[in-house]
Amino acid sequence: MSGPSLPKDATAILAVRKLELFPGMVTVVTIGREPSAIAAQEAIKSERALGLLLQRDPAEDEPGPEGLYRVGTLAHILRFITTPDGSHHLICHGEQRFRVVEFLEGWPFLVARIVRVREDETLSSALEARLVTLRQQVQEYAEALPMPPLELINAIQQLNAPGPAADLVTGLMDIKAPDKQDILETFDVRERLDKVLARMAHALEVIHMSRKITEQTREAMNAQQREFLLREQLKQIQKELGDTDETAAELDAVAKAIAEAKMPEGVEKQARKELKRLQRMPDSAAEYSMIRTYLDWLTELPWSRESEAGIDIAEARRILDADHYGLEKIKKRMLEYLAVRKLNPGGKSPILCFVGPPGVGKTSLGQSIAHATGRRFVHASLGGVHDEAEIRGHRRTYIGALPGSIIQAIHGAGTRNPVFMLDEMDKLGAGGFHGDPASALLEALDPEQNATFRDNYLGLPFDLSHVMFIGTANVLDTIPSPLRDRMEVIQLPGYTEEEKLEIARRYLVARQLGVHGLTAEQCAFEEATLTAIVRDYTREAGVRNLEREIGSVFRHVAMGVAEGTLAAVRVKPEDLAEILGPPRFESESAMRSGRPGVATGLAWTPVGGDILFIEAARMPGSGKLLLTGQLGEVMKESAQAALSLLKGHLGELGLSGEDFEQLDVHIHVPAGATPKDGPSAGIAMFVALVSLFTGRSVRGDTAMTGEISLRGLVLPVGGIKEKVLAALRSGITRVVLPSRNRKELEDIPPAARERLQILWIDQVREALDAVLEEGPGG
């Protein structure tokens, strides 16, 4: 389709996306649009020049007059080529600049009336000087290239007209299309030369900078740095051109993270200092990854993020009661803390230490506290830790250095005020070559200085005053006293039989049902069955073994349900022998008592209280005291004191005729494989000796504890609650305790006090009256 003939004063217009043709140049123009091909054909047919105008938006497929610049290049078409793939190519010779006067309508291609722009060809000295400078710049630029284009150099040297020389250089320069259009629209030759000279000067500066970078890099390069030569050159060139790469984007992200982390002023200053070091360092440097990791830790730590919800005392009480049975003192302490926190939100968090035998719920209590306070819960086990760096981290100078366990746990929590449980504090490794981990905890657990806790890896203070630290331990003796002094110790005694039954009903049975995939309809316990498991198959302060035995019963039922032989089972006491085997425990007091020389004592152990039997025997000899049963030094001294006390009160006891020079006395404490120590068996040893020499048996339903003095006083001892509960578990109904321990009566559960008769004594004579039966010596 060609349309009407073009008027004599009209020109066909070809819209181009790239400005590649200037007056005096010969180049190939590719045509991709059908109207453009028709316009070219019309120009060839009418033997007229074709006007080339640059599009304002290269992405526009069918630009109209408003989408084109008004100044372009008139081109004489030397040849029209159509390739086999259907595309068209024009070999054009640029003739002259033109300016559009108006666009005409009625043709299937762009048509416009134009005005040819004529140039002043007068060669002044100023233009000649600029032409000489341009020739020099072009030659210098060409020679700086790896393969100098000799044709370009020769063409420029042969051009004596300033305007065409400027147009030729512009057409061949690698600059943006709008910049080329700007030079095309510059009709004044002098001004056009100035613009071209400025562009060429910038190109020369880039070439010189690249060469300088190459030389500097080569000078600084050694055998290990050769591999990043090209990377360094690329980085510097991109920097000069204003481009960015992935590394720059990554560093920008780090800078943004620093700004958003809300660090303290000193920490942020240090972080930005490290970032500047990173920006000046090649990413292949050995130190790059170390600094990058360090900045990741700084930006990801919760310097100001907290996760505490509104404090509701009633809701917290409900959560604690739902999660744990008993433990009233600890629940009260937690509610007191919450009340203070509600009234004084900026106050310091307490440093608590739960001390008690295994299985009483120390760790799970920490989780409940976190739930009740609306905080995150984090946990770190200190058992066996022997390196101070595990607590405070390694210095960054070491390869693979990381922060210590405290900072790592805070990082994992994502808030600066979690409930942080330090488990097994009594099992910390002893200090040595790697430092003392217990001493490393002093700063973290001191409320007066943990606001500026300094981890070796960070090298900066971190505020731990918002963290609620809770330590756990089985015993206090192995915790260093400076560390113990910084914590508020809360004792968790063992459970009574009634408490264990209640815990089993409320928590253990339901939990084990879920673990074993059973429902309450498929398996249920009778009340007497749980009681039998507690009495006959477990003897512990906590409930860990009790839960295991309940799980064993459920496994037995689960097998039957899976095989299809069982549908619904109600476990009775008589079924336990088949499932769990014969009873493992029985009343030792009934088996061991009933003869002179045997007394029942009470002992404290790390896993709760226990009863022990003191057996005494006499035989002809030379006045020796024999002690067996793996007794500690303190316990041996208690035995010697008991014998001395007996010898000093022979008359009062009706034993004046005894000749100890002709007798050996043997005191034995069974369970000889178990080490025993402490002064609390003194009263039991004295009673066993008196029973032996007087022939009066000790009541089998009575157990006793207390330290004795040579004056016959009964002194206070520790672990009263654990010992009383152990007596209750063993079938004891009467306990003899020192009067000075009466203040600990309230620690004993009311149910235990009701089932036991407690006798308070001050003198050993009172114990003899309370526990010895009438007999030969009476």
Side-chain angles (χ1 to χ4, degrees), residues 296-488:
D296 284 343
W297 277 101
L298 287 185
T299 54
E300 292 173 6
L301 279 174
W303 297 96
S304 58
R305 294 193 299 273
E306 294 190 354
S307 62
E308 189 167 358
I311 296 176
D312 186 339
I313 305 296
E315 177 64 13
R317 179 183 285 110
R318 185 196 66 77
I319 292 173
L320 292 174
D321 288 340
D323 290 349
H324 288 270
Y325 178 76
L327 306 177
E328 298 303 329
K329 278 190 174 182
I330 297 177
K331 293 178 182 178
K332 179 183 177 184
R333 178 64 183 88
M334 289 301 100
L335 296 175
E336 289 173 350
Y337 162 71
L338 290 177
V340 173
R341 187 77 178 180
K342 187 172 185 178
L343 298 177
N344 181 21
K348 297 178 180 178
S349 294
I351 313 292
L352 305 179
C353 183
F354 297 159
V355 179
V360 296
K362 298 185 294 295
T363 303
S364 61
L365 188 60
Q367 296 173 335
S368 296
I369 292 171
H371 185 197
T373 56
R375 299 186 179 199
R376 296 289 300 276
F377 177 79
V378 291
H379 174 274
S381 179
L382 301 180
V385 173
H386 64 280
D387 190 349
E388 177 187 348
E390 294 188 47
I391 305 296
R392 304 192 62 153
H394 298 81
R395 301 193 183 278
R396 283 193 291 149
T397 52
Y398 295 102
I399 296 176
L402 284 173
S405 56
I406 293 179
I407 293 297
Q408 287 192 44
I410 300 293
H411 174 267
T415 64
R416 66 170 182 167
N417 66 332
V419 173
F420 196 145
M421 176 153 282
L422 298 169
D423 220 353
E424 310 293 353
M425 295 189 67
D426 55 329
K427 298 175 182 61
L428 272 172
F433 175 78
H434 297 288
D436 185 6
S439 299
L441 284 172
L442 293 179
E443 182 182 4
L445 298 185
D446 190 341
E448 299 302 322
Q449 56 179 320
N450 65 3
T452 56
F453 174 76
R454 187 177 292 268
D455 184 273
N456 289 332
Y457 179 80
L458 297 182
L460 298 165
F462 188 88
D463 187 1
L464 295 180
S465 62
H466 300 272
V467 179
M468 184 175 184
F469 285 103
I470 299 177
T472 71
N474 297 132
V475 293
L476 279 176
D477 299 344
T478 55
I479 302 177
S481 56
L483 187 58
R484 190 167 63 238
D485 182 62
R486 284 164 169 77
M487 299 183 291
E488 178 182 343

Side-chain angles (χ1 to χ4, degrees), residues 263-280:
M263 306 174 182
E265 182 179 353
V267 177
E268 184 171 352
K269 182 178 179 181
Q270 177 66 21
R272 295 196 179 279
K273 179 180 177 182
E274 295 291 339
L275 179 59
K276 288 181 180 179
R277 288 183 59 199
L278 200 64
Q279 291 170 337
R280 296 192 299 266

Side-chain angles (χ1 to χ4, degrees), residues 39-119:
Q41 292 170 355
E42 180 64 27
I44 295 173
K45 177 181 176 182
S46 59
E47 297 182 353
R48 297 187 188 184
L50 179 67
L52 272 61
L53 289 178
L54 179 68
Q55 295 180 203
R56 297 183 183 274
D57 183 6
E60 191 173 356
D61 289 333
E62 297 182 2
E66 67 280 354
L68 301 175
Y69 288 97
R70 289 297 188 269
V71 176
T73 304
L74 281 174
H76 174 63
I77 301 175
L78 302 177
R79 190 171 180 183
F80 186 100
I81 302 172
T82 301
T83 58
D85 62 358
S87 61
H88 307 291
H89 306 275
L90 301 179
I91 300 177
C92 300
H93 175 256
E95 293 183 350
Q96 192 177 7
R97 284 173 171 78
F98 72 90
R99 182 171 59 239
V100 175
V101 175
E102 66 173 332
F103 282 94
L104 304 179
E105 297 181 355
W107 286 269
F109 49 85
L110 294 171
V111 177
R113 286 193 175 91
I114 64 170
V115 175
R116 294 173 179 256
V117 178
R118 301 187 180 276
E119 294 184 358

